[in-house]
Amino acid sequence: MELRTAASPRDVKHYTTERLREEFVIEKVFFEDEIRLVYSHIDRIITGAATPVQKALKLEAGDELRAEYFLERREMGVINIGGDGYITIDGKKYTVVSRDGMYIGMGKKDIVFESADASNPAKFYINSAPAHKTYPTVLIKRDGVAGEGEVVIKPENKAELGTLEDANHRTINKYILPGQVESCQLVMGLTHLEPGSVWNTMPCHTHDRRMEVYLYIDIPEDAFVMHFMGEPQETRHIVMRNEQAVISPSWSIHSGCGSRNYSFIWGMVGENQAFDDMDGVDNKDLL
């Protein structure tokens, strides 16, 4: 597990491109037959992935958590962006197909990730936050019919926003949030931009009450997303490639413009779970 410290906006405005990437970008998230994680001091979020191919992968706490097991004091959200796979939690096996997810509550001890087909392995993207209470573990389906211990994303949590004229026609799929899947502080979802649209989260915003991590996906090899961060009057940009993640502190905007359409997974951790609790920034005030 890699450890990263918090950063002051007064310092960040002096960073070089290399230093920006060192502090905020997770250059490679998915490693074949490994679980790799990044522990950030910013709201204590853990970001990473389990990528089982030839073998099952068991989640361990590691020395960094000083815990008996990974979710002893934590909760976790997972979204699978690869082939179909399985997550076994304390002996109960869940089938998690591509673009479905899971919320795993505090106190679950044995968590194992597997792929259904090694030629098309699952890619389990993980966000984890400190927890104070145990909420039910839930399999989250993007579509279909829910069985016991499962939910299907509600129609009102599949928000179609923006327009092609503004180059931001997108659908926001909200996986983990109050009223659908309860959690202590983790909120998580996936946004897909339609062809011809390239802007996400614009007009942009900050939210002092929580931080956010983006994982950019569905980007062809020759394409990119220009991710914008920093204080509204001290903006910086970072070039993001497919399956790279970027950490956004509470004081920073977090917006992007791609060379073509793409998708991204967002995960928020902090004090307030209200999705619309944002401090908006007018486009004319950006510098």
Side-chain angles (χ1 to χ4, degrees):
M1 188 182 300
E2 178 188 348
L3 296 178
R4 298 200 189 185
T5 56
S8 164
R10 288 178 293 179
D11 295 331
V12 170
K13 67 181 181 180
H14 301 295
Y15 284 0
T16 62
T17 298
E18 181 181 14
R19 181 72 187 280
L20 277 175
R21 299 189 72 88
E22 287 176 355
E23 294 289 339
F24 300 111
V25 177
I26 304 174
E27 300 278 357
K28 186 173 173 61
V29 176
F30 301 93
F31 291 82
E32 186 173 307
D33 280 328
E34 291 187 48
I35 298 176
R36 291 280 191 100
L37 302 168
V38 174
Y39 182 120
S40 172
H41 285 183
I42 304 172
D43 283 316
R44 303 286 167 175
I45 192 171
I46 293 178
T47 302
T51 315
V53 181
Q54 301 297 335
K55 61 182 181 180
L57 301 175
K58 183 177 181 180
L59 183 64
E60 305 285 358
D63 293 339
E64 294 82 3
L65 294 186
R66 301 294 193 271
E68 181 183 344
Y69 53 94
F70 191 89
L71 294 184
E72 183 178 0
R73 302 183 296 267
R74 287 185 158 268
E75 61 185 357
M76 187 166 74
V78 181
I79 296 178
N80 179 16
I81 68 163
D84 295 352
Y86 310 107
I87 304 178
T88 302
I89 303 168
D90 289 348
K92 183 174 181 179
K93 192 171 187 177
Y94 297 84
T95 299
V96 186
V97 303
S98 184
R99 305 301 162 113
D100 283 0
M102 288 205 73
Y103 171 80
I104 307 174
M106 183 181 72
K108 297 299 184 183
K109 291 185 177 181
D110 295 317
I111 302 171
V112 178
F113 301 92
E114 299 175 82
S115 289
D117 182 356
S119 66
N120 183 26
K123 293 182 174 181
F124 296 107
Y125 177 65
I126 295 168
N127 281 176
S128 173
H132 61 274
K133 177 181 177 179
T134 299
Y135 283 100
T137 293
V138 181
L139 175 65
I140 307 162
K141 295 184 174 182
R142 196 164 67 162
D143 300 293
V145 178
E148 183 179 356
E150 304 174 354
V151 300
V152 177
I153 298 176
K154 297 177 181 179
E156 62 267 31
N157 289 329
K158 294 182 177 181
E160 186 174 353
L161 300 174
T163 65
L164 183 59
E165 289 76 13
D166 289 329
N168 66 353
H169 183 200
R170 63 203 187 276
T171 300
I172 303 174
N173 298 281
K174 303 172 185 177
Y175 285 62
I176 301 170
L177 80 165
Q180 177 165 272
V181 174
E182 301 298 324
S183 66
C184 291
Q185 60 169 309
L186 178 64
V187 179
M188 198 171 180
L190 188 157
T191 298
H192 173 71
L193 277 73
E194 298 299 327
S197 289
V198 294
W199 278 104
N200 77 66
T201 326
M202 184 59 70
C204 62
H205 60 262
T206 60
H207 26 66
D208 280 344
R209 291 147 297 280
R210 61 194 178 199
M211 60 83 69
E212 193 159 7
V213 177
Y214 281 179
L215 173 74
Y216 285 105
I217 58 176
D218 299 335
I219 305 174
E221 187 175 353
D222 61 346
F224 64 90
V225 173
M226 197 72 76
H227 180 83
F228 297 98
M229 66 159 295
E231 294 180 292
Q233 283 73 51
E234 285 282 353
T235 58
R236 299 290 183 270
H237 70 269
I238 301 174
V239 176
M240 301 293 297
R241 305 291 179 179
N242 192 44
E243 297 182 358
Q244 292 183 332
V246 59
I247 299 168
S248 298
S250 300
W251 48 262
S252 176
I253 66 168
H254 34 284
S255 183
C257 184
S259 59
R260 53 156 294 157
N261 70 312
Y262 53 93
S263 304
F264 66 101
I265 294 174
W266 42 269
M268 295 182 281
V269 169
E271 180 179 353
N272 195 341
Q273 291 181 295
F275 184 82
D276 294 328
D277 179 17
M278 306 171 185
D279 301 312
V281 179
D282 197 298
N283 285 344
K284 65 180 176 58
D285 294 327
L286 289 171
L287 294 175

